[in-house]
């Protein structure tokens, strides 16, 4: 789903994960877990700072396993550095973050709001990730693939 508003594009993806909302919530706030499941296919994660509390900040490197392949990283050819803060934490229900890419490219500027919504269903939890104000330098196709990969990784990690 795409929303072209004055603030920028909104991308969203969902998946049913066979784990409880609380187990998924914990995986969203555990830096060791995030480093494993968040990076999409072809990337590895490295947490530099992680304060999982409202107002807490984080800094993460997403490192391309093959830095010479497209797309290039936002911070350098080989990586994306993301800095952000936790805006809202509702245990077992929702995590809202604001994130910015470290980049000299104007196409990657701006603050993206990322909302993880967890809804219990009989088979586990519907996990929905909504990204608002997606930088224009991130193509719709690449972002959709990345979000799908990340949700699959989260499912594999928590199931």
């Amino acid at each position: 789903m795409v929303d072209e508003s004055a603030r920028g594009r909104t991308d969203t993806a969902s998946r049913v994960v066979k784990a409880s909302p609380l187990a998924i919530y914990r995986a969203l706030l555990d830096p060791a877990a995030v480093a494993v499941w968040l990076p999409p296919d072809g990337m590895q994660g490295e947490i530099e700072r992680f304060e999982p509390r409202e107002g807490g900040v984080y800094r993460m490197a997403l490192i391309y396993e093959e830095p010479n392949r497209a797309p290039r990283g936002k911070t350098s050819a080989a990586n994306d550095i993301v800095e952000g803060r936790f805006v809202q934490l509702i245990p077992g229900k929702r995590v809202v973050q604001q994130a910015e890419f470290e980049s000299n490219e104007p196409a990657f500027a701006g603050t993206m709001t990322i909302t993880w919504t967890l809804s219990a269903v009989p088979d586990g939890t519907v996990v929905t990730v909504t990204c608002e104000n997606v930088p224009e330098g991130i193509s719709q196709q690449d972002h959709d693939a990345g979000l799908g990969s990340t949700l699959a990784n989260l499912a594999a990690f928590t199931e």
Side-chain angles (χ1 to χ4, degrees), residues 20-21 25 32 42 63 67-68 78 90 92 120-121 130 132 140:
S20 72
Y25 180 81
I63 304 156
N68 295 325
I90 302 173
V121 294
T130 303
E132 299 173 274
Q140 178 77 49

Side-chain angles (χ1 to χ4, degrees), residues 19-43:
S20 72
L22 197 52
I24 295 167
Y25 180 81
R26 284 192 294 260
L28 292 171
L29 298 181
D30 177 342
V34 170
V36 171
W37 66 260
L38 183 70
D41 288 342
M43 300 187 91

Side-chain angles (χ1 to χ4, degrees), residues 42-122:
M43 300 187 91
Q44 295 181 355
E46 191 175 286
I47 302 291
E48 297 177 12
R49 184 174 185 187
F50 202 85
E51 301 168 353
R53 60 178 169 74
E54 288 187 6
V57 297
Y58 62 90
R59 181 177 168 91
M60 179 176 192
L62 296 169
I63 304 156
Y64 286 89
E65 293 170 352
E66 296 179 35
N68 295 325
R69 75 172 183 83
R72 288 178 40 92
K74 297 161 195 64
T75 306
S76 74
N79 67 35
D80 298 340
I81 303 292
V82 181
E83 290 195 7
R85 70 181 184 91
F86 293 97
V87 176
Q88 183 183 51
L89 302 176
I90 302 173
K93 300 272 186 208
R94 176 190 299 252
V95 173
V96 180
Q97 303 162 266
Q98 290 184 324
E100 293 182 28
F101 291 102
E102 189 175 284
S103 179
N104 292 324
E105 296 289 329
F108 298 114
T111 302
M112 181 168 54
T113 300
I114 305 164
T115 302
W116 297 89
T117 305
L118 312 174
S119 303
V121 294

